[in-house]
Amino acid sequence: MQFDLDRRRPGQSRITTPRKETDTCKISSGVSEGLTTGTPIHVFVPNTDQRGFDYNEMSVAYRPSHADATYDMKYGVRSVQGGGRSSARETVGRVAAGAVAKKILKLYAGTEVLAYVSQVHKVVLPEGVVDHDSFSLDQIESNIVRCPDPEYAEKMIAAIDAVRVKGDSVGGVVTCIVRNAPRGLGSPVFDKLEAELAKAAMSLPATKGFEFGSGFAGTFLSGSEHNDEFYTNEHGKIRTRTNRSGGIQGGISNGEIINLRIAFKPTSTIGRKQHTVTRDKKETELIARGRHDPCVVPRAVPMVEAMVALVLMDQLMAQYSQSYLFPINSDLQEPLAIPRLEAAKASV
Amino acid sequence: MQFDLDRRRPGQSRITTPRKETDTCKISSGVSEGLTTGTPIHVFVPNTDQRGFDYNEMSVAYRPSHADATYDMKYGVRSVQGGGRSSARETVGRVAAGAVAKKILKLYAGTEVLAYVSQVHKVVLPEGVVDHDSFSLDQIESNIVRCPDPEYAEKMIAAIDAVRVKGDSVGGVVTCIVRNAPRGLGSPVFDKLEAELAKAAMSLPATKGFEFGSGFAGTFLSGSEHNDEFYTNEHGKIRTRTNRSGGIQGGISNGEIINLRIAFKPTSTIGRKQHTVTRDKKETELIARGRHDPCVVPRAVPMVEAMVALVLMDQLMAQYSQSYLFPINSDLQEPLAIPRLEAAKASV
Amino acid sequence: MQFDLDRRRPGQSRITTPRKETDTCKISSGVSEGLTTGTPIHVFVPNTDQRGFDYNEMSVAYRPSHADATYDMKYGVRSVQGGGRSSARETVGRVAAGAVAKKILKLYAGTEVLAYVSQVHKVVLPEGVVDHDSFSLDQIESNIVRCPDPEYAEKMIAAIDAVRVKGDSVGGVVTCIVRNAPRGLGSPVFDKLEAELAKAAMSLPATKGFEFGSGFAGTFLSGSEHNDEFYTNEHGKIRTRTNRSGGIQGGISNGEIINLRIAFKPTSTIGRKQHTVTRDKKETELIARGRHDPCVVPRAVPMVEAMVALVLMDQLMAQYSQSYLFPINSDLQEPLAIPRLEAAKASV
Amino acid sequence: MQFDLDRRRPGQSRITTPRKETDTCKISSGVSEGLTTGTPIHVFVPNTDQRGFDYNEMSVAYRPSHADATYDMKYGVRSVQGGGRSSARETVGRVAAGAVAKKILKLYAGTEVLAYVSQVHKVVLPEGVVDHDSFSLDQIESNIVRCPDPEYAEKMIAAIDAVRVKGDSVGGVVTCIVRNAPRGLGSPVFDKLEAELAKAAMSLPATKGFEFGSGFAGTFLSGSEHNDEFYTNEHGKIRTRTNRSGGIQGGISNGEIINLRIAFKPTSTIGRKQHTVTRDKKETELIARGRHDPCVVPRAVPMVEAMVALVLMDQLMAQYSQSYLFPINSDLQEPLAIPRLEAAKASV
């Protein structure tokens, strides 16, 4: 869990916010002698570098494209320090919970959830440079921008440095893949797997778009070009030759690699003068003084992994209770054998 | 309600499936003398053009990129006729419910939800051709492809006709806007308005992507280019000069126009030979014989409107109970006056 | 399913309402060739003996202790015919769904849910007359009041007949037991098994009270008298010697017989003159003319069974996904082996 | 909030557990300058008198009628110290949240939720001794057992003292009433107000039964004796002359006093020798050494009030969004005027 929190925390490198939050987590319930007990797990992550005074000016002037104004429109009152719940600090909880979900998915079915940065501003990693079948967490973590290709990583870092020194910001895209996803996850109608993943991803701060499989680009293909033909592989497993479906067909996972792309806008809090209004509707100018990220995508990588893992975990539990209580056709459904306690314990 | 069901139904024009389903709705509970009674509204829409025999071959062979295989992987059993719940027929209920939601939103706050086709295959309607402040439902309905611009509508129809005669299919993009959306809808963290809209949209069949405001294109801008500056208008209302936020900031609506784009893949059931496997894992070839849409986007327009209206209605109810029970600052929150019964009755 | 619907339907005997509703159920989705398909099961039970005119007078005068007035207080409008959702007709759906749940529970773990009438007006079946370990459904169904003891059944029938001829009504108590309930069902805090059962039972029309195990009578015992001591039986199973816990400890089932008692008030719609007010607040007198039950408890028996079975089914599914995905200690938890498809199919 | 926490905390008098937990609450989010901000309110109540060693013996032997065994049956693992979630300590959160709900209900509609002890072991407060229209919180708090009648309070205290010195325990009944409950709260079918209240009450530790209005005793009346006749009072309000309905008809509140009775069993952890088994199924004897309540009902009073207030608050919010967004008939529905901010602020 601490590993993922460190990937999320501010101040981890020069291309993130210089706030120095150590984000050390303390678990105060729900785990006993290395095992979860069924009790809710309480994780406490105190904020060790809070500077309220940075926010004084912002308490009256609304930051453009930030949640300042809409919180007032909704509640008629808001917390100013650190943005309250609009601070990306709220994602600490997501990352902590996601770490548990990732562990269970790995133990249960060898499922791996991996995200990386595939675009920063105008630096776009071309499709195919990263091999989705084989790239590793180590490759992602080998540089501060979290792009598994070293060459593009350098270009991305340069792009962030360029705006950082000017007090400006840039956005980008995070790609996430899931290897060895169990088959049969998701629902046919309202709770399709892609719908759950879209909600989870779009609930992260600063997101502007979501696509999976062929995505928006797939609209330029014809049906005969787009369809993924089936075949039976040497182990008697039904597979598809291509994967424009992105591992999901009819709202349900088919066992191929799930792949997603999520657009993040440039950080709205910037150190440049902008026109805005105050809480009492007077026009004013604002230069934000907080210590904010010039680009959120490197820190968004563990957040995306966490949200995807949490959706899969929920769906696995649902699938387990709905379909594996009474499997009708075990050959097609492939319910996984119950893993041994020893295996689980050994890995703790 | 019948108006929207007619916009959705098959057989409405030559560019949709030739199935002749009249989709006449019959309300059997929940409405009495023109008023809803609080009881669930039961709407019955019988299928009047069912031809099970069209599906015989498909009962053994899985259609590529369709839900056939994944339903078997999930349940170990499936209904073959008409695809069961994977048939777009399930959207009848969404459109019927959406019609009620649209009516209430209109009465309550003059809120309008309008969708149109902005891309078919390689025919892309350029941004700005349709004026989001002023285009009307009549313009959308003035042609069979549901694009408010007559010139591009013709090109789109031609693009569909081109694949239709070859038994192939194409996809496209539906754009949806919301005018006069109430402010303050949505939640700060997991249930952000964009997250709810993304889930609702991505729960529709054949969707591959979702974006709002600046979307994926916004990742190419810097923060200083992307931010929407605030000003106070002549009525003392806080507004933004640009709308790259797409009407939502920090998960909450700000009163500007909400705009969304949703990608639909080309229909997977096509009348061309494809390789696939049967339920017992034998390789085979399949030419689908059902009567399917060469392009789903014209019929998807009322579905998208319905899902967006249902999300807004849910959020309006939540906002009403959470924030308007005790408004803290009515000037910022702008709770709407309770509309008169007479007004509501008059409009029935 | 039809068996249980017949136990619930009006007009089944002289001690129920004389309305002649056949309650024949027609399943139009979700079942194919004797197996559920995962699709929602749609059961249609048309009302074949509707007489709106019986309700004319009641459309203006509120029936005392009925939902007439409160529906108007809530919605400002209501359906009059048959009482809308306040009619016990709404329990048809509960009984139909419960029939499916009972079947799965039986197949999965040999779990049996049985209810019977243990009190009608002042006729109280003494504890112990019915042996909870061995009485059968046949015994319950051997008489029209659904009391497994023939002697008390006769007294109860006489008590109902006595008020029936006077146009009055009486209430009573339904007792429900669950044999072979799986262990481990329920949750430690808000969703305790007894809390879920209480909600389910108290959601039935005309209920006034709920108790389980020692119930209200248990408050007269001391802790040393009340506690159920543990022992290990000859099969190595942990059991309790007494069962004042009613099969539930700390919100979770312990494998002993679950037992509940539910109080039903006398039917409020009676054929005797009562003082009341009209919708426009004028005082008036009312003699209800509909055909109503002199005592609801015989027909409530299948309703109670259904609600209890539905709660157990939900909890079994939850338990399956929460605890049996990774059993920690199979000896204590006793997850049941996945039953064979053949067994399930054979029993259809 | 602290007032109610003090009413719940252990060690408040000689008839409760001697554990000395001060239960001082610290609010770390969600409240700013005396107003809630819409952010979840985080209340931290550290346990200041934890003695793990008291629980050593119990870690192997299951306490009779306690959650020890069932937690193991469910999870295969459990926390031993303080019983984990089976400790009544978990009710701290309920009482804290209930304090906020009670405040809003009071401000919104003058609604008062008051509970008191109406039975301890064999000491039963006769109906009518306490006048539900007029008794006050001060009367409840005037003695350590929380019975508003001083004479019966003394008898109850004596009954508890009698078992306390013997290491035994007793149970009892808590009665709860709601004055000035808003009309129209609750739902017609599954979520009837009495169903929600029953679930909330029965989710409290040690409960065995729930009844409202005439309750189990009402089963001994005929319909003509039981029904509550309507009349219109001098303010043009529809009222009932009697209140055997307990303020709820057809699942919906009618504005009369809501009254409930909840049975609590004798505390299961007692200081007397009992037969039981250990985790590895060996038979053993156990004398619990922890410091436990000889009778839980005095401390259960604020818990019951809290759960009832939380249910009403949820229902008020639901009613607000479902029925008051568009009131159909304001005269029947009586939506309350939006209270002024000043009034709310003044009372903080």
Side-chain angles (χ1 to χ4, degrees), chain A residues 62-67 69-77 85 90 94 119 121-122 124 168-173 183-186 188-192 194-196 198-199 202-205 207-216 218-224 226-232 236 238 241 244-246 249-250 252-254 261-268 270 272 274-279 281 283 307 319 322-323 328-329 331-333, chain B residues 62-67 69-77 85 90 94 119 121-122 124 168-173 183-186 188-192 194-196 198-199 202-205 207-216 218-224 226-232 236 238 241 244-246 249-250 252-254 261-268 270 272 274-279 281-283 307 319 322-323 328-329 331-333:
Chain A
Y62 293 139
R63 278 169 290 176
S65 289
H66 205 274
T70 49
Y71 278 37
D72 263 355
M73 289 173 185
K74 183 173 191 73
Y75 299 112
V77 62
R85 279 185 292 172
E90 61 84 357
R94 306 183 190 227
Q119 182 193 327
H121 202 202
K122 290 166 188 170
V124 182
D168 208 341
S169 65
V170 287
V173 173
R183 299 178 171 204
L185 304 192
V189 185
F190 298 111
D191 301 329
K192 290 189 166 76
E194 62 267 42
E196 295 290 349
K199 178 172 174 181
M202 297 299 295
S203 79
L204 286 169
T207 49
K208 299 302 288 184
F210 169 92
E211 57 181 8
F212 77 105
S214 61
F216 279 91
T219 59
F220 292 102
L221 301 178
S222 68
S224 56
H226 190 276
N227 281 351
D228 297 319
E229 295 192 334
F230 288 109
Y231 72 104
T232 303
I238 294 171
R241 290 199 189 277
R244 280 177 283 267
S245 297
Q249 293 176 329
I252 296 168
S253 63
N254 66 0
R261 295 178 76 247
I262 300 151
F264 287 85
K265 68 172 186 177
T267 321
S268 58
I270 55 176
R272 306 184 69 164
Q274 297 174 93
H275 295 276
T276 187
V277 298
T278 60
R279 232 187 158 218
K281 302 187 178 178
E283 311 232 339
M307 294 311 291
Q319 172 67 353
Q322 288 168 16
S323 297
I328 299 286
N329 184 328
D331 186 43
L332 291 171
Q333 293 179 278
Chain B
Y62 293 139
R63 280 169 290 176
S65 288
H66 204 274
T70 49
Y71 277 36
D72 263 354
M73 289 173 186
K74 184 174 191 71
Y75 300 111
V77 61
R85 280 184 293 171
E90 63 83 358
R94 308 183 188 226
Q119 182 194 326
H121 202 201
K122 290 168 187 168
V124 181
D168 208 343
S169 67
V170 287
V173 172
R183 297 177 173 206
L185 304 193
V189 186
F190 298 110
D191 302 328
K192 290 190 166 74
E194 61 267 43
E196 295 289 351
K199 177 172 175 181
M202 297 300 295
S203 79
L204 287 170
T207 49
K208 299 301 288 184
F210 169 92
E211 57 181 9
F212 77 105
S214 61
F216 278 91
T219 59
F220 292 102
L221 302 177
S222 69
S224 56
H226 190 275
N227 282 350
D228 297 318
E229 294 192 335
F230 288 108
Y231 71 103
T232 304
I238 294 172
R241 289 199 191 277
R244 280 177 283 266
S245 297
Q249 292 175 332
I252 296 167
S253 63
N254 66 0
R261 294 179 77 248
I262 299 151
F264 288 84
K265 69 172 186 179
T267 320
S268 58
I270 55 175
R272 305 184 71 164
Q274 296 174 93
H275 296 277
T276 187
V277 297
T278 60
R279 234 187 157 218
K281 303 189 179 177
K282 302 264 182 301
E283 312 232 336
M307 294 312 290
Q319 172 67 353
Q322 288 168 16
S323 297
I328 300 285
N329 184 327
D331 186 41
L332 291 171
Q333 293 179 278

Side-chain angles (χ1 to χ4, degrees), chain C residues 199-214:
Chain C
K199 177 172 175 182
M202 298 299 295
S203 78
L204 286 169
T207 50
K208 298 303 288 183
F210 169 93
E211 58 182 7
F212 77 105
S214 62

Side-chain angles (χ1 to χ4, degrees), chain C residues 93-145:
Chain C
R94 308 182 189 228
V95 171
V100 177
K102 281 199 275 187
K103 179 154 208 165
I104 300 175
L105 290 167
K106 189 78 200 300
L107 278 172
Y108 181 79
T111 304
E112 279 182 303
V113 180
L114 291 169
Y116 62 90
V117 173
S118 56
Q119 182 195 326
V120 167
H121 202 200
K122 289 166 188 170
V123 183
V124 181
L125 182 71
E127 221 173 298
V129 172
V130 170
D131 177 9
H132 283 181
D133 285 315
S134 66
F135 82 99
S136 69
L137 177 60
D138 284 352
Q139 282 172 277
I140 299 169
E141 296 300 311
S142 66
N143 58 68
I144 57 178
V145 80

